[in-house]
Amino acid sequence: MNSSRSTAASSLDPAVAARLKRGADGLVPAIAQQYDTGEVLMMGWMDDEALHRTLTTGRCTYWSRSRQEYWVKGDTSGHFQYVKSVALDCDADTVLVKVDQVGAACHTGDRTCFDADVLATEDHRGQ
């Protein structure tokens, strides 16, 4: 996938598209966060069209780099992400999607993608 594909075929608001700083592959990281607890759930990738779909459907849409296709969180797993808000970071190179997560966010079945491999905690840094 190249960046011209991401922008040319999208219905994303041109003002938003002009602000996005995409990687060479035309993608931006999208962090999904539980809207009411602040829990970080997962990270996926979005191009302009995935962001447009997320903004207009109320369901998180991501771009699968391995399958080279769009996927809507929950369509196959039943673990939906209902969009509460979408924001860009200060550099416009990362999207934060606050969601109401139904079921597990991680493909492994864990609540979040960050539960299983904690590298450090406040009490045990560098040990």
Side-chain angles (χ1 to χ4, degrees):
M1 176 176 125
N2 61 43
S3 59
S4 63
R5 181 200 139 321
S6 296
T7 56
S10 176
S11 300
L12 184 63
D13 179 332
V16 175
R19 294 177 55 204
L20 280 180
K21 293 181 186 156
R22 303 162 199 79
D25 55 6
L27 302 173
V28 295
I31 306 297
Q33 179 181 37
Q34 178 65 33
Y35 81 100
D36 54 353
T37 65
E39 180 180 30
V40 176
L41 300 169
M42 61 170 281
M43 191 283 282
W45 296 98
M46 291 185 181
D47 66 0
D48 289 26
E49 183 60 21
L51 180 55
H52 167 72
R53 293 178 188 188
T54 297
L55 291 168
T56 58
T57 66
R59 303 246 328 269
C60 282
T61 301
Y62 299 97
W63 175 258
S64 171
R65 296 180 303 167
S66 59
R67 294 187 314 264
Q68 293 289 295
E69 65 185 15
Y70 295 104
W71 59 280
V72 178
K73 185 68 174 170
D75 275 359
T76 57
S77 68
H79 300 164
F80 299 99
Q81 291 178 343
Y82 296 103
V83 176
K84 296 293 188 175
S85 69
V86 180
L88 291 176
D89 76 338
C90 59
D91 296 321
D93 63 0
T94 304
V95 175
L96 176 63
V97 186
K98 292 189 179 182
V99 301
D100 188 9
Q101 177 70 48
V102 176
C106 188
H107 70 280
T108 65
D110 286 339
R111 170 72 183 164
T112 86
C113 292
F114 299 98
D115 283 345
D117 199 8
V118 177
L119 301 178
T121 63
E122 183 177 20
D123 296 332
H124 298 92
R125 286 189 204 130
Q127 293 183 7

